[in-house]
Amino acid sequence: MTANTENADKNTAPETDAVAPPAAAAAPEVADRPVREELRLEVIGTHTGQFGAPDAGDTTGYGGTTSVVALAPAATRPYGGWFDDVVDALLEDLTEAGVDPAAAIEKVVVEHDELTLFIAREYLLDVARPLRDDQDLRFELCLGVTGVHYPADAGRELHACYELISLTHGARALRLEVTCPEGDPHVPSLVPVYPGNDWHEREAWDLMGIVFDDHPNLTRSAMPDDWVGHPQRKDYPLGGIPVDYKGAATATADTRRSYR
């Protein structure tokens, strides 16, 4: 080998494999159908400042901060642990019953090692029955229903959340979440499947205004029968009673400051 050839070999850069572009993040799916774009990450509001009292003046230095508030995003496979087995068994049950799984289950969410299935309200009973009865699922116990009000979640302002427990399978816990708009706050009653939900649904209607269709006796449980409105909604006025104590007067909460 001549000196020129040797120098040329030394100056030639070694061949390297081309770097592949990063793979696109998988889109969340249910039964091989993509989750609707607007449900993949539901933004339910924005907060300005740090403590939620914008009318009292800012003395913290945080008054200019703005944060976006969103629900946990839709999950992609694998969900982890036993979550995949439960979702697969439920999809199979729905298909065998002639129910479109992708229409019944809006999305699957995994957050803090907890599994939540967002269910379209018209399919709630179709989903609850196999969750209770399938030997591979056996969520025999429903701990009740709680209501949540997200005024900025347009068309989905009211959420009904059900906590299910499988005693057969070592206390596995699963959450069902169903949404409805304020203008049509109707959700099917789960009392036919879980009779113990009777009083819980009454309370959720009383305080949050979610109407549970076909409930056997949907009457108020906490407020008087003639009460107007649903006091745990976020747009319900704070109200209160002025208090006088040892010469000092405390005005009602709604006249002192505003809250988120």
Side-chain angles (χ1 to χ4, degrees), residues 1-14:
M1 181 182 293
T2 64
N4 290 338
T5 303
E6 185 175 344
N7 290 336
D9 289 341
K10 290 180 179 180
N11 294 330
T12 300

Side-chain angles (χ1 to χ4, degrees), residues 34-72:
V35 173
R36 301 203 315 263
E37 187 72 33
E38 67 271 19
L39 298 183
R40 296 180 186 182
L41 183 65
E42 290 188 79
V43 175
I44 58 173
T46 57
H47 286 171
T48 301
Q50 201 72 347
F51 301 104
D55 59 339
D58 173 59
T59 60
T60 66
Y62 291 102
T65 62
T66 300
S67 57
V68 176
V69 184
L71 302 181

Side-chain angles (χ1 to χ4, degrees), residues 132 134-141 165-172:
R132 182 194 64 183
D134 187 331
Q135 64 180 0
D136 296 325
L137 299 173
R138 284 283 191 258
F139 287 90
E140 312 98 328
L141 176 63
I165 300 291
S166 172
L167 304 178
T168 299
H169 296 287
R172 288 176 173 177

Side-chain angles (χ1 to χ4, degrees), residues 72-111:
T76 57
R77 297 273 193 164
Y79 303 132
W82 52 266
F83 296 169
D84 291 273
D85 295 336
V86 164
V87 173
D88 288 340
L90 179 59
L91 295 179
E92 181 180 348
D93 290 336
L94 293 174
T95 301
E96 291 178 354
V99 176
D100 181 0
I105 304 174
E106 295 180 333
K107 61 180 175 179
V108 179
V109 171
V110 177
E111 185 183 31

Side-chain angles (χ1 to χ4, degrees), residues 124-193:
L124 179 58
L125 293 174
D126 295 319
V127 170
R129 288 191 183 98
L131 284 173
R132 182 194 64 183
D133 297 338
D134 187 331
Q135 64 180 0
D136 296 325
L137 299 173
R138 284 283 191 258
F139 287 90
E140 312 98 328
L141 176 63
C142 181
L143 300 181
V145 59
T146 55
V148 188
H149 184 206
Y150 298 116
D153 195 7
R156 299 166 64 87
E157 293 90 355
L158 295 170
H159 291 224
C161 306
Y162 305 84
E163 306 291 338
L164 306 182
I165 300 291
S166 172
L167 304 178
T168 299
H169 296 287
R172 288 176 173 177
L174 166 69
R175 180 182 300 107
L176 301 181
E177 192 156 341
V178 181
T179 71
C180 59
E182 287 179 325
D184 181 25
H186 289 263
V187 172
S189 172
L190 267 191
V191 171
V193 181

